[in-house]
Amino acid sequence: MNPPRHPGARSAGRRRIARPSRRAEARAQRLMPGELAWYATGRFYLDNDNRLADFGYFLHLSGIDAPLFDGAQSDTTAHFTFAARPFEAGSVVNGALSLGLDPVGEFSVYLQREPAASFDDPASFALGECIATLRRTGLVVGTTVEQGIGPAQTPLLASNVFSAWLLESRAFEFGGRRYDLAQILGAGVTQFGTAAATSAPVPAGYKLAVPFTGSALALGPK
């Protein structure tokens, strides 16, 4: 004879495991201060009016639990891109160091559900849905190390570091989940960048296209 079952046993057996709330999911996505926020790569473009701007895409965005590319990783398959507002940079020379002085400026992050960006067309990185805009907090000093003496000097490597406040963000759906970069990044990021010493192929309307990579850390809650 089977033993009697507790009246609530049947309903308990059918009880579904509760899914975490959106607030709990957002809390789980939030990065700690100093935690890796993203890896990005792009190019600095100098146009014919001597204005600089950087355009590119994200190799990794912390908190996004879905493939960031539609196929192999490249500029033409990236779902998440960025584009800066053009600016005019100053310069200082100190021996074998050439210093670029970038003013306060803004850049935006875009979601391209159908990837359409290409380094052959810098403006294409600003297509899609604008999901966040950040502003550099102050002057950015980029350092290019050169070798040689006098006119024979040639660049070896360039680097910079800057912090940027998150000005605004918009929630978005991607890969079946809902995200908001404000909930992930908090106040913004600090990015460390490394640039090549030589130009990549230059599209029409520009004089220079320098490849770079950037690694950013989250600033944490506001």
Side-chain angles (χ1 to χ4, degrees):
M1 179 180 294
N2 294 329
R5 299 182 64 184
H6 188 277
R10 187 172 183 179
S11 60
R14 294 180 179 178
R15 190 174 300 154
R16 295 181 178 179
I17 299 175
R19 294 185 60 185
S21 66
R22 285 189 174 180
R23 179 176 296 181
E25 288 183 344
R27 190 179 301 115
Q29 293 170 1
R30 187 175 303 144
L31 301 178
M32 297 291 290
E35 189 174 354
L36 179 70
W38 69 54
Y39 291 120
T41 190
R43 294 180 185 177
F44 291 109
Y45 291 88
L46 179 66
D47 67 20
N48 291 335
D49 295 322
N50 290 319
R51 297 183 305 168
L52 275 171
D54 50 297
F55 303 89
Y57 61 95
F58 293 91
L59 295 162
H60 171 75
L61 264 176
S62 293
I64 306 298
D65 187 22
L68 303 189
F69 297 87
D70 184 14
Q73 296 169 323
S74 74
D75 53 327
T76 60
T77 61
H79 285 295
F80 292 89
T81 63
F82 62 88
R85 289 187 178 180
F87 58 89
E88 294 184 2
S91 62
V92 172
V93 175
N94 180 11
L97 298 180
S98 179
L99 309 178
L101 309 178
D102 301 347
V104 172
E106 297 177 5
F107 63 95
S108 295
V109 179
Y110 296 86
L111 168 58
Q112 298 194 6
R113 299 189 184 279
E114 297 293 334
S118 170
F119 284 131
D120 295 331
D121 179 13
S124 64
F125 289 91
L127 298 175
E129 304 167 31
C130 181
I131 58 174
T133 297
L134 299 94
R135 175 182 294 158
R136 297 188 296 274
T137 59
L139 180 73
V140 180
V141 177
T143 303
T144 300
V145 180
E146 299 181 340
Q147 67 175 353
I149 299 175
Q153 284 184 332
T154 57
L156 289 176
L157 187 70
S159 64
N160 69 7
V161 59
F162 67 85
S163 292
W165 296 120
L166 180 65
L167 297 182
E168 60 180 354
S169 69
R170 298 175 180 85
F172 61 94
E173 300 277 348
F174 185 71
R177 294 182 62 182
R178 187 173 179 83
Y179 299 96
D180 189 329
L181 292 187
Q183 295 175 346
I184 296 174
L185 301 177
V189 299
T190 291
Q191 176 170 296
F192 301 82
T194 303
T198 56
S199 178
V202 181
Y206 295 88
K207 299 189 289 187
L208 200 64
V210 178
F212 73 90
T213 183
S215 305
L217 305 180
L219 294 181
K222 293 183 179 180

